[in-house]
Amino acid sequence: MLEFRKDLFAAERDDNLNIVGKGAQRQDMPGHVTGRSPFFDDHAFEGLLHLKVVRSPHHHARIRAIDTTAAERAPGVKRILRGADVPLNKNTLLSLINFGKDDEPTLAVSKVAYKGEPVVAIIAETEQQALAARALVRVDYEVLPHVFDVEEALKPGAPIVNETYPNNYFEYHDRYDHSKLRFGDVDRAFATADFIVDDRYQMSPIEHAPTETNGSIAAPEQNDRFVVHSCAQGLFFSLGTAAKILKLESNRLHFVGGTVGGGFGGKVDSLTEPLSILGAMMTGQPVRYVLDREEEMLYGSPRGAERIYIKDGIMRDGRIVARRIRSYFDAGAYTRLSSYAAIKCTAHLPGPYTIPNVSADIYVAYTNRCPSTAMRGFGITAVDFALEVHMDKGAEACGMDPMEFRILNAYRDDDMKAHRRVAKNTALIECVQVVAEKAGWPLSDEARRQSSLTGGGGARALIPATPIDDNGRIGRPETRTGPATETLPAGTMRIPMTKQPIMEGSAEARPTPAAVPQYEPYRPTPASTAPAYQPMPAAPPPAMPAPPAATAPPPAAAPAPAQPTQHGAVRFSSVFGTRRR
Amino acid sequence: MAKIPVQFRLNGSDRAAFVGPADNLLTLLRRGLNDFGPKYGCGQGTCGTCTVLVDGDLQLSCLTLAATCEGKHVETVSGMAEGPVLHPLQQAFMDHFAAQCGFCTPGMLTAAKALLAANPNPTRAEVIDGISGNICRCTGYDAIIEAILAAARGGQATRAY
Ligand code: FES
Ligand code: FES
């Protein structure tokens, strides 16, 4: 079933591994098969209280009044929590790495922006009592118009979903309305292409549906601390988030976890921890807050839906010479991790192919939907789906076998990628070859002879001159006055950050982000005389041996060394534009 | 609300508790008797993580009223091993990598135990039918099916992973 292809890239690997490729028993298996693995809910507490949340029945509404008097008198009710009880009732997850502005309340105060948004929390002695009291809470709403469509949300006059981002788009570094990529001259290349393949792809939101729903139990501990049994996928991420929202020193929180009943990305948002800890603080008793399956399905954050437009310019011989992508991430009502997903998406484009002209604009749009979050390769998988369907359409357009079409256009070691980093350890060609072999799909001898290790680099490593089209200009849309005329000379690694003023109000929200990208000035290189558009050479045409390995000089100045970021958060290095290598 | 006394055997030992008339067996086991083997996955009979045996019959404890267990024998995953010696199904699940997060595993093992008790030599189709009420979101069912078949054959692993 599992097959190791050690024949591939054998020279890059020491074959003296102790674990990889050999059977080994996992240390958590005995616990799993005996039912003793300690999931967050598998802990007994004397005097355990249960927390349930009143949720918005509307997609978008102003809260006029909240009346909890009847609920307070209901049997078994110990405490009712409102927005005013939350010490810092506005947060955004990536604020822990200084990215984005606080935009999401723990309990809504003045308005709700999606159906299911938490408004009031009830803590009672039993779950039934908490549910009964929940039905007694009266919230007076003034329903507001809502917007569900990402492109509608970005139009002028759309309902304002999230007051922190009044234009309904996430603002990168307080300046930019989207994330963008420009490499070469797509318009010129489209004009010379033999075929244009243009399409639109719409994804659905996807619920992770872990068998264990989100939840946590918090209890007062000795030494004025709180023990928190959590299903968080990032335990310390959750600890930091809870400490911030509750304005507690993080050493007063003792998080216990790591045994997660399926997460897939749906357990990184700290959906329950802040409220169960706050409940334990307010009542002095252990508090358990677990989503039921309906809440998990409807209000546990999903993978965000993406809308992706792709336009390819293809030559008769099958080479893709230009690719333009426009994509919209549906963040739902609050940011959570969508801003990060869009950066991953931009960095991933144009997929694992070497295409000499690439242009992409990636937006994060707010809509009155449940906020979306991480899920298994978020930012990548959806656009890959779209790209690969588009590859099939491209192959059809130029009458090529889809596998051969991929091998022809695949990136190879030492090629320059559109975001101006050199491709290393590429393996698409080998993957396609193995898949074709397994599927019994006939490949030509030439295609079977291709290798990721050869044929890359050289002219394929050059950075082309890159004109800045109107939408290629950087900054908020209203600041882009007049047509753009600039062309970045060939070889340009980076461009200076705009001097445009940062968004109003952000200065007092928090100091200018400490970790804005560090740009290096343009330095001319020998490659700077290369023409703007250059047909991609050297993906060896069928019936010709692979060209020798690159002999051209290195095309561009070495990138600046990574600037240390404030938190050294390597995992999020792409957020800051720093390099991991 | 008046509580109802209920006595039953849990994995071979006598237990007694007071329950509300609407309390389900899952809550009684977990929160009343501290048997955290059966899990809450949905509370509405759709996922199988709460599966237990009541007098040998497969039951979803989230849909079983606790008070109806009076005088019965309830078995959960917590009673499957004989002291430190694993049940052949437990060993087979380990050998076949039949769990990832492990949250569905107690229900899967209990369903498999009921299946093998009724049908010691099931076909693959019968195994699939036997665990059709149990959802696993991580593992993929293939490893689970292989593990159950191997346990039925006497615990011999058919292939190494
Ligand atoms: S919890 Fe009983 S079937 Fe899901
Ligand atoms: S192992 Fe995670 S649900 Fe089955």
Side-chain angles (χ1 to χ4, degrees):
Chain A
M1 187 182 210
L2 200 54
E3 184 189 332
F4 288 94
R5 292 297 298 261
K6 298 197 170 185
D7 52 317
L8 299 171
F9 308 112
E12 295 175 12
R13 186 177 50 236
D14 285 340
D15 223 349
N16 55 359
L17 304 174
N18 293 321
I19 296 295
V20 175
K22 307 197 170 78
Q25 190 53 263
R26 280 169 37 182
Q27 62 176 13
D28 54 357
M29 274 304 220
H32 288 351
V33 301
T34 53
R36 291 204 189 99
S37 291
F39 295 94
F40 81 89
D41 201 21
D42 299 343
H43 298 275
F45 284 96
E46 219 18 67
L48 183 64
L49 303 177
H50 301 266
L51 186 149
K52 292 282 168 189
V53 158
V54 177
R55 295 177 181 276
S56 162
H58 302 295
H59 301 296
H60 196 195
R62 198 167 307 291
I63 298 176
R64 285 209 206 95
I66 299 174
D67 179 4
T68 57
T69 44
E72 274 155 33
R73 287 196 300 265
V77 170
K78 292 292 239 189
R79 173 86 204 201
I80 293 196
L81 302 175
R82 307 260 301 257
D85 297 312
V86 182
L88 185 68
N89 197 20
K90 214 162 227 198
N91 179 49
T92 193
L93 291 169
L94 294 182
S95 63
L96 295 184
I97 55 167
N98 277 347
F99 189 65
K101 286 177 282 197
D102 288 341
D103 67 342
E104 181 170 8
T106 299
L107 291 172
V109 176
S110 54
K111 82 166 211 178
V112 286
Y114 69 96
K115 190 173 173 179
E117 180 162 357
V119 182
V120 171
I122 313 266
I123 302 170
E125 284 170 10
T126 68
E127 270 185 279
Q128 284 101 322
Q129 287 169 333
L131 289 170
R134 182 169 79 170
L136 300 174
V137 173
R138 296 279 163 263
V139 184
D140 182 14
Y141 293 104
E142 175 194 337
V143 176
L144 300 171
H146 56 252
V147 57
F148 288 154
D149 184 275
V150 280
E151 287 179 88
E152 293 298 320
L154 295 181
K155 288 186 180 152
I160 297 174
V161 173
N162 178 333
E163 260 87 30
T164 308
Y165 297 103
N167 298 306
N168 289 345
Y169 53 72
F170 179 79
E171 307 211 357
Y172 283 94
H173 303 295
D174 298 330
R175 289 171 175 81
Y176 311 133
D177 67 319
H178 64 284
S179 187
K180 74 168 71 252
L181 188 62
R182 291 293 184 277
F183 186 76
D185 187 344
V186 281
D187 286 324
R188 213 170 127 185
F190 283 139
T192 63
D194 294 319
F195 307 101
I196 299 289
V197 181
D198 205 350
D199 226 322
R200 171 190 189 270
Y201 301 87
Q202 175 66 51
M203 311 299 291
S204 303
I206 302 172
E207 163 57 30
H208 314 75
T211 46
E212 173 200 62
T213 59
N214 267 280
S216 57
I217 300 178
E221 233 185 4
Q222 73 278 14
N223 303 337
D224 207 21
R225 305 203 312 175
F226 297 91
V227 65
V228 185
H229 292 284
S230 163
C231 67
Q233 285 180 248
L235 202 64
F236 286 87
F237 190 17
S238 186
L239 189 154
T241 298
K244 178 185 167 194
I245 290 173
L246 302 169
K247 292 195 181 168
L248 287 177
E249 300 84 358
S250 53
N251 65 6
R252 289 189 60 203
L253 296 176
H254 171 192
F255 268 58
V256 181
T259 303
V260 179
F264 321 119
K267 289 177 177 166
V268 296
D269 287 354
S270 298
L271 291 176
T272 65
E273 288 82 354
L275 280 181
S276 44
I277 301 166
L278 184 61
M281 291 167 70
M282 296 291 201
T283 61
Q285 280 177 252
V287 171
R288 170 179 177 267
Y289 172 20
V290 182
L291 301 192
D292 64 28
R293 179 55 62 184
E294 185 182 349
E295 289 176 297
E296 182 75 39
M297 294 300 283
L298 292 179
Y299 315 127
S301 17
R303 177 200 288 281
E306 292 165 42
R307 178 170 305 160
I308 301 156
Y309 294 88
I310 307 177
K311 178 177 175 181
D312 278 358
I314 305 173
M315 304 310 286
R316 221 171 290 282
D317 63 6
R319 286 173 301 122
I320 305 171
V321 291
R323 173 167 283 178
R324 173 178 284 154
I325 294 132
R326 188 157 45 93
S327 170
Y328 301 88
F329 271 77
D330 190 346
Y334 301 105
T335 308
R336 297 202 185 160
L337 297 173
S338 297
S339 52
Y340 171 57
I343 291 177
K344 282 168 70 185
C345 176
T346 315
H348 180 64
L349 296 173
Y353 303 102
T354 291
I355 299 176
N357 301 282
V358 179
S359 160
D361 295 313
I362 316 294
Y363 296 81
V364 173
Y366 297 98
T367 63
N368 293 108
R369 292 170 178 265
C370 182
S372 54
T373 191
M375 185 181 191
R376 314 207 82 167
F378 68 132
I380 305 293
T381 28
V383 78
D384 262 345
F385 164 78
L387 289 174
E388 292 309 319
V389 174
H390 210 72
M391 288 300 286
D392 285 346
K393 291 177 185 167
E396 205 172 303
C398 64
M400 255 184 102
D401 176 274
M403 297 272 203
E404 306 246 353
F405 183 63
R406 284 175 171 82
I407 290 176
L408 174 68
N409 287 289
Y411 63 178
R412 296 167 185 241
D413 279 5
D414 302 323
D415 284 356
M416 180 57 69
K417 300 207 280 186
H419 55 292
R420 293 162 175 76
R421 293 183 192 181
V422 176
K424 293 280 174 216
N425 302 328
T426 58
L428 177 64
I429 292 173
E430 286 71 14
C431 287
V432 175
Q433 287 164 339
V434 171
V435 165
E437 174 194 320
K438 295 285 168 200
W441 187 281
L443 283 184
S444 67
D445 288 347
E446 295 80 20
R448 261 180 290 145
R449 270 202 302 271
Q450 300 308 309
S451 160
S452 295
L453 299 172
T454 56
R460 293 162 61 110
L462 302 181
I463 297 176
T466 301
I468 299 300
D469 55 274
D470 224 4
N471 199 35
R473 284 155 62 94
I474 290 177
R476 292 153 54 88
E478 65 274 19
T479 64
R480 295 186 209 123
T481 50
T485 49
E486 194 186 357
T487 292
L488 302 172
T492 307
M493 288 295 284
R494 297 189 164 199
I495 54 178
M497 187 147 76
T498 174
K499 293 287 185 302
Q500 284 153 4
I502 60 169
M503 186 186 163
E504 230 175 285
S506 66
E508 83 254 8
R510 114 188 116 64
T512 308
V516 293
Q518 307 289 329
Y519 288 100
E520 94 167 359
Y522 161 62
R523 271 183 253 150
T525 69
S528 64
T529 52
Y533 163 62
Q534 208 175 10
M536 181 179 61
M544 262 176 47
T551 49
Q563 300 291 327
T565 60
Q566 196 175 6
H567 297 271
V570 174
R571 171 116 206 267
F572 292 94
S573 58
S574 54
V575 168
F576 301 132
T578 54
R579 300 163 58 93
R580 257 187 290 186
R581 275 191 272 148
Chain B
M1 224 180 296
K3 295 267 186 184
I4 304 163
V6 51
Q7 279 191 58
F8 58 91
R9 309 203 90 201
L10 174 60
N11 296 324
S13 15
D14 290 327
R15 306 300 292 266
F18 287 98
V19 298
D23 286 355
N24 63 45
L25 177 60
L26 177 64
T27 309
L28 170 62
L29 290 172
R30 292 180 56 84
R31 290 286 155 209
L33 301 173
N34 290 348
D35 181 351
F36 293 112
K39 310 291 181 199
Y40 169 93
C42 68
Q44 38 186 236
T46 57
C47 73
T49 57
C50 66
T51 304
V52 299
L53 302 181
V54 178
D55 282 350
D57 288 341
L58 214 52
Q59 295 264 359
L60 296 173
S61 61
C62 72
L63 296 186
T64 304
L65 288 175
T68 64
C69 295
E70 175 67 32
K72 307 251 169 103
H73 189 185
V74 176
E75 293 167 78
T76 71
V77 71
S78 315
M80 249 176 115
E82 296 272 358
V85 181
L86 294 181
H87 187 281
L89 275 165
Q90 292 174 312
Q91 189 61 52
F93 268 53
M94 287 189 60
D95 294 345
H96 288 262
F97 197 70
Q100 272 187 47
C101 79
F103 201 77
C104 69
T105 312
M108 286 286 181
L109 283 166
T110 309
K113 186 175 156 186
L115 170 72
L116 296 192
N119 177 2
N121 236 320
T123 63
R124 196 178 167 86
E126 286 165 340
V127 170
I128 291 170
D129 193 52
I131 59 167
S132 60
N134 296 70
I135 288 175
C136 175
R137 264 299 264 175
C138 315
T139 321
Y141 297 96
D142 204 51
I144 297 172
I145 295 163
E146 288 298 326
I148 296 170
L149 285 170
R153 279 192 301 264
Q156 291 311 302
T158 49
R159 63 181 185 225
Y161 285 88

